[in-house]
Amino acid sequence: MLNQEEWLQLCERLKLSLEAQQVAIEIRTSPPSRRVRNSSGNVSVRYPSRKMGVVIQAESHRNELAGIYEKEYDPNTLEYYDQPPPMKLVYIAKNGHRVGVWHTPDYFVIRSNALGWEEWKTEEQLGILKETMPNRYVQLEDGGWKCPPGEACAELFGFFYHVRSSREINWIYQRNLLFLEDYLRSDPLKIQDEQLERISSAVSADPGMVLKKLLSEFTGPGHGTNQDSIYALIATGRLYVDLYSVSLAEPERAPVFNNEESARAYTIVSMCFPAGPHIQEGWVERRVGTQVRWDGKVWTIVNVGIEQTALLGEDGNLVHLPNPAFETLVRQNQISAGQKTLDTGDASRILEFLSKASPGDFHEANRRYDVIAPKLKGQKIGATTIPGRTIRCWLKRWRQAEAQYGSGYVGLLPQRQESGNRNPKLPVPVQTLMETFIVSDFETLKQKPKYEVYGALVRACQEKGINAPSYKTFVGAVKLRPKEEQVQKRQGTRSAYQVRSFYQELTLTTPRHGDRPFEIAHIDHTELDIELVCSQTGRNLGRPWATFLSDAFSRRLLAVYLTFDSPSYRSCMMALRECVRRYTRLPQTIVVDGGKEFESIYFETLLARYEITKKTRPGASPRFGSVCERLFGTTNTRFIHNLMGNTQITRNVRQVTQAVLPKNQACWTLGALYPRLCEWAYDVYDTLEHATLGQTPRETFETGMQIGGQRPQRLIPYDEILHMLTLPTTKKGTARVIGGLGVKIHYVHYWADAFLDPEVEGTQVPVRFDPFDAGRAYAFVKNRWVHCFSEHYARFAGRSEREMMLATAELHKRRQQHNQKSTLTARQLADFLASLEAEELLLEQRLRDAQAREILASIDESKPGAESAQSVRAVSPAESKPAEDDKQLTIYEDY
């Protein structure tokens, strides 16, 4: 964002009036005038903008969101604000009456050369509005749109008012921005000069090589680089891919160049043979001088008019063909190219010229082409300072190359690389003998070292009376051999597999589900079809709620959370915490429904902190959440319905008797079900073949990570900061400080020394608790979060997260059902955890946690500067933000 000095300089440069400055300042300092909501068929979006440092709203992920991406990565756009204050539009309605309406544009944009409003509409919407409000929305001759009353209002301040249509959106570019966003947002990855040189040389040797080939040659074990390095080079412009015309998510179709100049040169060459190195059958370039074959005769195009094309025959006859008729004859192959078709040798020669050309050579050839292009099209060359003799020389070289190779462009290349002696220095007998030793003596299962093979080569050269190559030359020749073939000959097929590129194309995925894992995830809740009982009393506690976080690309379940509580933001935050625990990362975009739990300030703050885009699907539209909906059905039918106490029989209420009533058949507890549900989600479902994918979610996930990159910049440490951001609070959000006891959260008192302050005692303070650790909580006292410890912390200490979660959830549910008015004391909770029955229930979990603790202890001891959780400074709501080098993301609570 602009600082005050930069803003004043912009106002002075654009000569903004004081009134215009006041309007812009009001927009810059005001929160959005309204909070957008999802309507029928519309997916609203909350986008964490790195450029603006706030969360930006979009009413549609298929229209306005594209506008956000366009402005976020446009260097000419300095600032942009969503939902600016309303402006009054005055115009003549369709019935002839003069009307004035208050209108809220989608964005106010500050560019380096202008300021103004943007209104984004789909082409279909504009077509309807044109009929209902003809004086408000007007279509231009070129297909664009304008809003005369909006333009009139903007002109008062010297601003612009643009109506942007969905027709303007380049979806290939949008898809690429989403794919590269992790690299565009973060600092450039450090790539060694040697690796960069190897990649650049490979692209120079094969200009236009597809991204898939580049990834397969330079990524994987033993290559010293990975997919992230390649994508980072593309994002920073050190490798060039036309992001407007090809998709990076389809690497087999994305040509890669070293720079834009070489890409342009390749495009010009392809104009001569648009189907690649061979002229496409049935294709004819309609320009003056082109020879074609028609009815067995050769004709020359002598004029290309607006309506007709003139052909001159070998016998001098002149024929005028209407352009549609000419094109029809070409499509029917009755008129074909009269020039010779490029053979394999010509194409290889052209590619050889291009691979040897430097960026400077391409730049010079492009400059020469721009000069002679009018002459090639039968037009006059305009005024230029280049001598006529030089231009005639370039034209001659173009025509000679066109006649010899089928491409005149190569004649314009300076070909400086041909200067000097480029022939091999080693005699042919020495080269032949060296290659023989490499193949027959080095590339064998004996795995001889290079030096021993080189010694044998030197001896053979001495016996033949020829000079032996140097050891450096020999090693260089060994390295030039095909890596996979060499490893297979020396170490076998299994070892060669490690250096082979791993790529498996998924033909049945769509951008709707993302192009890679962790790009899009769905989070939702479902009440499982099973009745649970209390582990202590055996009484029925009802049906549990499960929260699923699933990856849309691979259909993999990233996190599962189980509780008796109805859907709330607490369940959502626990699922996200579980995802970080398992994968140390969170999705780039999370799709949610319109539930209130997803509108919580705590939930949105967590998403903003980790720069996660939130998309809200419209209500009553299951297809928008089909990924989660199908998972719910699969979990119930394949897992839950096989357990005692499942409720599928209740679908036929009249057939239910006391003998088969699920409540009477229930035997599973929350503590017993949750580990089994995790086992089903993470181990069983993960390895079942998915009908749409044609493979298992685990295989799809691993393949997607291999292609899409590991993206280390998205890694999130599972630390105290994450815990604070994912801690839920009570229903009220606060608790009263009781003298000598502290705050009471879920029937348990928590104490901190900060409560000794007389000003704090008796006040309501914000609190947060950890569902995985009932031994501690947090209270916001005098502008900082402080640790609070339970009165029975010694009993709670040492319990694992899963132990505390299951025991606490079960006891809370039991107490709510049996005695809503009485309180559950901390002593009762502590006694339950210490009882023999609880020990039996949690014994297996403790044994597992003990093993995990030993590993964790060894890891913690190896961490430099490791410190206990209690020594970490507490974070206030205002301090729950990125590190100092990150930009603060603000969420307006009163949208």
Side-chain angles (χ1 to χ4, degrees), residues 457-511:
L457 173 63
V458 171
R459 184 176 60 183
C461 289
Q462 292 174 350
E463 292 176 353
K464 293 180 178 292
I466 58 179
N467 293 327
S470 67
Y471 180 68
K472 182 179 180 181
T473 301
F474 175 77
V475 172
V478 170
K479 291 182 178 180
L480 291 177
R481 293 282 298 170
K483 185 68 175 179
E484 181 182 345
E485 179 183 347
Q486 191 175 84
V487 173
Q488 182 175 355
K489 289 181 178 179
R490 286 174 59 85
Q491 302 176 21
T493 304
R494 183 167 296 182
S495 297
Y497 179 78
Q498 302 299 322
V499 297
R500 187 185 310 165
S501 63
F502 177 74
Y503 178 81
Q504 189 169 3
E505 185 178 2
L506 304 178
T507 59
L508 296 179
T509 57
T510 64

Side-chain angles (χ1 to χ4, degrees), residues 745 748-751 768-778 787-801 804-805 808 826 829 833 870:
I745 304 174
V748 180
H749 284 101
Y750 294 86
W751 176 257
R768 290 186 181 181
F769 65 93
D770 191 342
F772 295 102
D773 187 357
R776 61 178 179 170
Y778 300 86
H787 283 80
C788 305
F789 297 95
S790 167
E791 55 186 319
H792 296 283
Y793 180 78
R795 285 288 186 93
F796 296 131
R799 304 287 180 175
S800 72
E801 289 186 344
M804 296 306 305
M805 182 196 73
T808 304
L829 176 58
L833 290 173
Q870 291 144 353

Side-chain angles (χ1 to χ4, degrees), residues 661-679:
L661 187 66
K663 291 181 180 294
N664 297 333
Q665 300 293 323
C667 64
W668 284 87
T669 65
L670 186 72
L673 179 63
Y674 185 50
R676 287 298 189 176
L677 180 61
C678 292
E679 184 180 352

Side-chain angles (χ1 to χ4, degrees), residues 120-190:
W120 284 75
K121 300 287 186 185
T122 64
E123 194 72 13
E124 294 76 16
Q125 288 175 327
L126 289 170
I128 297 174
L129 293 173
K130 175 185 176 183
E131 301 298 327
T132 58
M133 293 180 282
N135 294 319
R136 180 170 173 178
Y137 294 99
V138 179
Q139 189 168 20
L140 304 176
E141 293 182 358
D142 61 357
W145 296 85
K146 70 175 184 176
C147 175
E151 293 177 353
C153 185
E155 286 176 2
L156 297 176
F157 312 104
F159 296 162
F160 62 80
Y161 186 98
H162 293 160
V163 177
R164 305 293 303 275
S165 167
S166 59
R167 188 174 59 90
E168 305 175 36
I169 301 173
N170 185 321
W171 287 110
I172 295 178
Y173 181 63
Q174 291 286 324
R175 189 177 178 186
N176 286 328
L177 284 180
L178 186 61
F179 190 92
L180 292 174
E181 188 169 29
D182 291 336
Y183 307 97
L184 295 171
R185 281 177 174 264
S186 61
D187 295 331
L189 296 177
K190 295 183 179 179

Side-chain angles (χ1 to χ4, degrees), residues 222-237:
H223 289 280
T225 186
N226 51 35
Q227 294 87 345
D228 296 294
S229 301
I230 302 294
Y231 295 140
L233 292 175
I234 295 174
T236 55

Side-chain angles (χ1 to χ4, degrees), residues 144-361:
W145 296 85
K146 70 175 184 176
C147 175
E151 293 177 353
C153 185
E155 286 176 2
L156 297 176
F157 312 104
F159 296 162
F160 62 80
Y161 186 98
H162 293 160
V163 177
R164 305 293 303 275
S165 167
S166 59
R167 188 174 59 90
E168 305 175 36
I169 301 173
N170 185 321
W171 287 110
I172 295 178
Y173 181 63
Q174 291 286 324
R175 189 177 178 186
N176 286 328
L177 284 180
L178 186 61
F179 190 92
L180 292 174
E181 188 169 29
D182 291 336
Y183 307 97
L184 295 171
R185 281 177 174 264
S186 61
D187 295 331
L189 296 177
K190 295 183 179 179
I191 303 173
Q192 296 181 0
D193 293 340
E194 181 183 354
Q195 296 174 353
L196 183 59
E197 180 64 28
R198 288 174 52 236
I199 295 172
S200 179
S201 300
V203 176
S204 298
D206 187 7
M209 69 186 303
V210 294
L211 179 60
K212 175 184 176 182
K213 182 180 179 182
L214 182 64
L215 290 172
S216 65
E217 289 184 0
F218 288 93
T219 62
H223 289 280
T225 186
N226 51 35
Q227 294 87 345
D228 296 294
S229 301
I230 302 294
Y231 295 140
L233 292 175
I234 295 174
T236 55
R238 286 179 285 179
L239 285 180
Y240 179 79
V241 175
D242 188 356
L243 301 179
Y244 290 88
S245 59
V246 294
S247 173
L248 297 176
E250 300 175 355
E252 68 280 0
R253 301 178 182 178
V256 183
F257 302 89
N258 269 328
N259 49 61
E260 188 174 0
E261 287 290 346
S262 59
R264 184 183 173 208
Y266 196 84
T267 302
I268 295 174
V269 171
S270 65
M271 291 170 56
C272 302
F273 40 99
H278 302 280
I279 291 182
Q280 199 174 39
E281 184 179 358
W283 179 84
V284 174
E285 184 179 9
R286 192 159 55 92
R287 65 177 177 84
V288 176
T290 299
Q291 290 186 339
V292 299
R293 290 188 177 275
W294 180 27
D295 195 22
K297 297 182 179 179
V298 177
W299 301 76
T300 304
I301 299 177
V302 294
N303 183 56
V304 179
I306 298 176
E307 298 180 353
Q308 294 182 336
T309 298
L311 302 177
L312 180 65
E314 293 177 320
D315 53 3
N317 291 332
L318 185 65
V319 177
H320 294 274
L321 285 177
N323 290 337
F326 181 88
E327 294 170 0
T328 301
L329 292 173
V330 170
R331 285 194 299 270
Q332 296 174 352
N333 289 328
Q334 295 185 35
I335 291 181
S336 58
Q339 299 174 342
K340 69 173 183 177
T341 302
L342 293 178
D343 57 23
T344 305
D346 290 335
S348 300
R349 186 62 174 159
I350 292 172
L351 292 177
E352 181 181 354
F353 278 118
L354 296 178
S355 64
K356 292 180 179 179
S358 66
D361 294 338

Side-chain angles (χ1 to χ4, degrees), residues 428-443:
V428 175
V430 177
Q431 285 185 338
T432 303
L433 187 61
M434 182 173 63
E435 291 176 0
T436 301
F437 268 83
I438 292 175
V439 174
S440 60
D441 203 20
F442 178 75
E443 295 180 349

Side-chain angles (χ1 to χ4, degrees), residues 32-39 42-47 56-60 64 68 82-83 104-107 599 604 614 616 895:
S33 61
R34 68 186 185 95
R35 186 179 178 109
V36 301
R37 302 289 180 182
N38 54 299
S39 57
N42 223 32
V43 177
S44 63
V45 181
R46 304 279 192 275
Y47 176 79
I56 302 293
Q57 303 178 101
E59 286 188 290
S60 171
E64 283 88 346
I68 288 179
D82 64 287
Q83 308 302 311
T104 302
D106 290 314
Y107 304 106
E599 301 295 324
E604 292 202 339
K614 187 186 79 170
T616 304
Y895 277 164

